[in-house]
Amino acid sequence: RSLGIGPQDRAAIFAPNSPNWTFADAACQFAGIIDVPIYTTLAPASIAYILNDSAAKLLFVGDVEMYQGIADILKECPAVERIVFFEGNGISEVDNALTFADLLKLGGELGLSHPNEINEIVSGLAPESVATLIYTSGTTGEPKGVMLSHANIVSNVIDAGEHYDFSQHDVCLSVLPLSHIFERSAMYLYIFNGISVYYAESIERVPDNLAEVRPTILVGVPRIFEKVYAKAKLKAAQSAGVKEKIFDWAIEIAKEYSEKLETDSSVGFGLRLKHKLADRLVFSKLREFFGGNLRTCITGGAALSNDIYLIFNGAGIPIMQGYGLTETSPVISSNNSKIKRLSSAGKPIRNMHVRIASDGEIEATGAGVMLGYYNKPEATRDAFTDDGWFRTGDIGEIDADGFLKITDRKKELFKTSGGKYIAPSPIEQMIRSSRFVSQVVLVGNERKFPAALIVPNFEMLASYAKHKGLAIKSSAEFCSSKKIIDLIERQVAGLTDALAKYEKVKRVALLENELSVAGGELTPTLKVKRRVVDEKYKTVIDKIYTDAENEKPAG
């Protein structure tokens, strides 16, 4: 307010997670200002698009180094009037800049001279007014600004947490970016329940921070749990011999034990005894990685594989999977300790309703559904059915007990040249369960058969090569080695054996470099941008099918 920013003006936040991020967000909400979070991993051109589309007057920036990365594009953003730095060192050379401390001082002075102004603004806020404008990272097309109201967000926080026993004794570590509504909504949940919040210093420091904080609650995407398991598996494989066999045995015990609990089956004395031994030898170390105090993990943003779910739950690290989108504030459905089911995204939360359209698309309505897309009336109309239900773009089904299961993204289904539709995500999950696979993307639209682009787990391959006496060292050598390609193909064939013939992966191509946000292949929430992958690896994909075409049948 002290800078002349008023209700319904826009203020963008471009910074990593920190207490100041949360303070700036809260200040905007109370002042009736619409805040616009921006992912720190976005390209400068995308940042310029968001600043111009939202017409943000104020920009919060993490520090001078971050500012320097976008200084050139800010010249093309005339609406930005002032810049506030969370970390203020070296800002003297920046025009119209001030530190967060300066801003607090100015605000304090305004509060003394106009003591009733903020109270009047707060009391004048309508629940239906826009609280935030969140630009979807999107796997296709340009970003769209999702308008969420105060009522959208508050109702979702309260309803999503209905069946969780949160208390002021809980401790959490904030890991996911606050620019994503999933983490931001979780932050509101922590504050609402009086939970202690710690902010991870960086992704690289998360393991150290977990040990320091010893959280009781962790909100994360499936990739976090996949990486933890892969790291534990690698450590066991490098030990070789008895330790690796013990680890593999314990993992099978975890899955068997968890499946019994999931189906309310009796856990016999023998399995209980094995589980107790496995806990002492393996599971306790897995729990200790997370600090040893975790009682609830909440995951969303992508599908969690059944194997990872069963392993962690069986090891005493309960993971509750939910489902939602930015457009739904975000939670539509969620499992919880009281109501849960394997392979599902739980039941719709209170005040959210779900139905399945004739083509299998999940449609939702309720208190959390967005107001619409900013400056995009046509896109807003397209996002809703004639009777007002939001089209999620996901394919799914609801079982007899009301649990929602997500099958795939509607736009990601592809059709082979033989006319068969294939849902890539379930097949990718199967393949990713191989210890030798880090990432996988299924391709094959309008082709004769599906193929897979695979980023191997190079550390696991190195351990395998050493065990087999193979003189392979570099990533490039692994990706071109016939023996390694044959190993991966056998892994893929074994893991996808139950698929229909037209769904089976006929060829694989190994990629040297991990798909990443920085490389443009992943969204900031780690979803694959399939269009980008198709374009970036077109030569590799074309070669897969050309080589298959040129191969002469035996005999």
Side-chain angles (χ1 to χ4, degrees):
R1 292 295 296 132
S2 66
L3 298 179
I5 311 294
Q8 297 301 291
D9 283 338
R10 272 75 64 199
I13 307 177
F14 177 63
N17 291 13
S18 71
N20 283 349
W21 204 112
T22 302
F23 297 150
D25 175 32
C28 288
Q29 303 305 317
F30 280 106
I33 294 165
I34 300 171
D35 62 12
V36 185
I38 300 176
Y39 288 104
T40 58
T41 51
L42 285 184
S46 296
I47 295 169
Y49 175 86
I50 292 171
L51 290 174
N52 285 326
D53 190 65
S54 66
K57 288 186 176 182
L58 178 65
L59 174 62
F60 290 98
V61 178
D63 55 26
V64 170
E65 186 178 349
M66 291 188 69
Y67 168 80
Q68 290 169 342
I70 62 171
D72 288 342
I73 62 104
L74 287 178
K75 298 170 186 174
E76 304 162 14
C77 304
V80 177
E81 297 172 359
R82 303 298 294 271
I83 300 173
V84 176
F85 287 83
F86 288 155
E87 300 294 333
N89 295 330
I91 73 164
S92 56
E93 302 299 318
V94 182
D95 293 336
N96 299 316
L98 66 159
T99 66
F100 198 69
D102 293 335
L103 182 61
L104 292 178
K105 185 179 179 183
L106 288 172
E109 291 169 355
L110 178 66
L112 289 173
S113 61
H114 297 77
N116 296 320
E117 185 166 341
I118 295 299
N119 287 336
E120 289 170 0
I121 292 172
V122 172
S123 61
L125 285 175
E128 298 77 22
S129 60
V130 180
T132 190
L133 195 53
I134 303 176
Y135 283 79
T136 57
S137 49
T139 54
T140 58
E142 66 181 20
K144 296 191 289 288
V146 176
M147 295 185 288
L148 297 181
S149 70
H150 293 278
N152 285 152
I153 294 170
V154 173
S155 67
N156 204 258
V157 167
I158 293 171
D159 293 339
E162 179 190 12
H163 294 295
Y164 286 91
D165 298 321
F166 298 122
S167 81
Q168 294 182 18
H169 301 293
D170 278 314
V171 174
C172 75
L173 180 69
S174 177
V175 175
L176 300 178
L178 281 164
S179 43
H180 191 290
I181 186 59
F182 185 30
E183 181 68 15
R184 193 163 151 206
S185 186
M187 183 64 70
Y188 299 148
L189 191 71
Y190 304 149
I191 294 168
F192 181 69
N193 288 281
I195 295 169
S196 300
V197 182
Y198 293 79
Y199 295 77
E201 294 170 86
S202 64
I203 289 296
E204 295 73 29
R205 290 276 295 160
V206 165
D208 296 325
N209 294 158
L210 285 168
E212 293 162 357
V213 172
R214 298 174 66 81
T216 60
I217 298 168
L218 182 67
V219 171
V221 291
R223 189 70 179 144
I224 291 175
F225 303 103
E226 290 169 0
K227 285 198 168 188
V228 169
Y229 173 66
K231 187 175 180 180
K233 177 72 176 169
L234 174 65
K235 189 175 181 181
Q238 289 173 335
S239 302
V242 177
K243 284 188 177 180
E244 185 177 14
K245 289 179 180 177
I246 289 173
F247 181 86
D248 290 342
W249 168 80
I251 293 303
E252 291 307 311
I253 293 298
K255 289 196 281 190
E256 186 180 351
Y257 185 84
S258 186
E259 279 182 329
K260 292 284 187 185
L261 296 179
E262 285 295 313
T263 56
D264 293 324
S265 302
S266 174
V267 178
F269 176 76
L271 179 57
R272 202 178 293 278
L273 197 64
K274 290 176 185 176
H275 185 268
K276 191 172 183 179
L277 179 59
D279 189 85
R280 186 180 302 170
L281 297 173
V282 177
F283 305 155
S284 59
K285 296 179 179 65
L286 202 57
R287 291 196 300 273
E288 198 56 39
F289 175 86
F290 290 99
N293 287 338
L294 266 188
R295 66 180 189 84
T296 301
C297 295
I298 302 171
T299 185
L304 181 75
S305 73
N306 284 350
D307 272 357
I308 293 293
Y309 173 85
L310 291 170
I311 289 165
F312 278 84
N313 275 273
I317 304 170
I319 302 178
M320 304 302 159
Q321 183 173 204
Y323 165 68
L325 300 90
T326 301
E327 289 90 339
T328 55
S329 301
V331 185
I332 291 177
S333 66
S334 179
N335 285 287
N336 56 70
S337 58
K338 300 178 181 68
I339 307 167
K340 59 181 179 176
R341 177 158 296 176
L342 180 66
S343 297
S344 86
K347 291 186 176 183
I349 64 171
R350 183 175 57 192
N351 293 316
M352 287 294 286
H353 310 280
V354 171
R355 71 184 185 189
I356 307 298
S358 58
D359 62 355
E361 183 173 6
I362 300 164
E363 296 174 347
T365 189
V369 176
M370 67 170 181
L371 301 177
Y373 295 116
Y374 187 67
N375 283 340
K376 286 185 165 51
E378 189 174 335
T380 299
R381 282 193 298 273
D382 291 344
F384 290 88
T385 63
D386 291 340
D387 58 348
W389 287 62
F390 173 69
R391 296 184 170 111
T392 65
D394 291 309
I395 301 294
E397 55 193 44
I398 301 172
D399 70 16
D401 296 319
F403 286 90
L404 179 63
K405 183 178 180 179
I406 317 302
T407 308
D408 218 308
R409 286 291 294 167
K410 187 176 180 179
K411 290 180 180 177
E412 292 180 357
L413 295 176
F414 65 78
K415 188 169 66 171
T416 65
S417 57
K420 297 287 189 179
Y421 281 97
I422 292 177
S425 291
I427 300 173
E428 290 165 348
Q429 271 196 30
M430 293 175 186
I431 296 171
R432 254 198 325 270
S433 65
S434 165
R435 60 179 175 151
F436 298 110
V437 174
S438 177
Q439 294 172 307
V440 57
V441 180
L442 213 67
V443 296
N445 189 40
E446 298 299 333
R447 307 278 194 168
K448 286 187 176 180
F449 57 83
L453 303 180
I454 292 175
V455 179
N457 183 328
F458 290 107
E459 290 179 312
M460 195 63 78
L461 284 181
S463 177
Y464 173 83
K466 183 180 179 181
H467 178 68
K468 292 291 184 180
L470 302 176
I472 307 174
K473 293 182 178 180
S474 71
S475 299
E477 288 175 336
F478 276 118
C479 290
S480 60
S481 165
K482 288 185 178 180
K483 289 187 176 181
I484 296 300
I485 293 171
D486 178 64
L487 167 69
I488 300 294
E489 285 180 338
R490 283 187 282 113
Q491 290 276 310
V492 170
L495 292 166
T496 59
D497 185 55
L499 292 175
K501 186 177 180 181
Y502 70 88
E503 293 176 303
K504 289 186 177 179
V505 175
K506 305 292 194 298
R507 294 283 190 281
V508 304
L510 307 187
L511 306 180
E512 291 180 46
N513 300 310
E514 188 162 304
L515 306 179
S516 66
V517 176
E521 305 98 342
L522 302 182
T523 71
T525 51
L526 306 183
K527 293 177 185 174
V528 174
K529 293 183 177 180
R530 295 183 187 273
R531 178 179 55 80
V532 173
V533 171
D534 285 344
E535 291 172 1
K536 192 167 184 176
Y537 294 98
K538 185 178 185 302
T539 304
V540 176
I541 296 168
D542 286 346
K543 188 175 186 301
I544 290 173
Y545 293 99
T546 302
D547 288 351
E549 196 72 32
N550 292 336
E551 280 184 10
K552 292 182 179 179

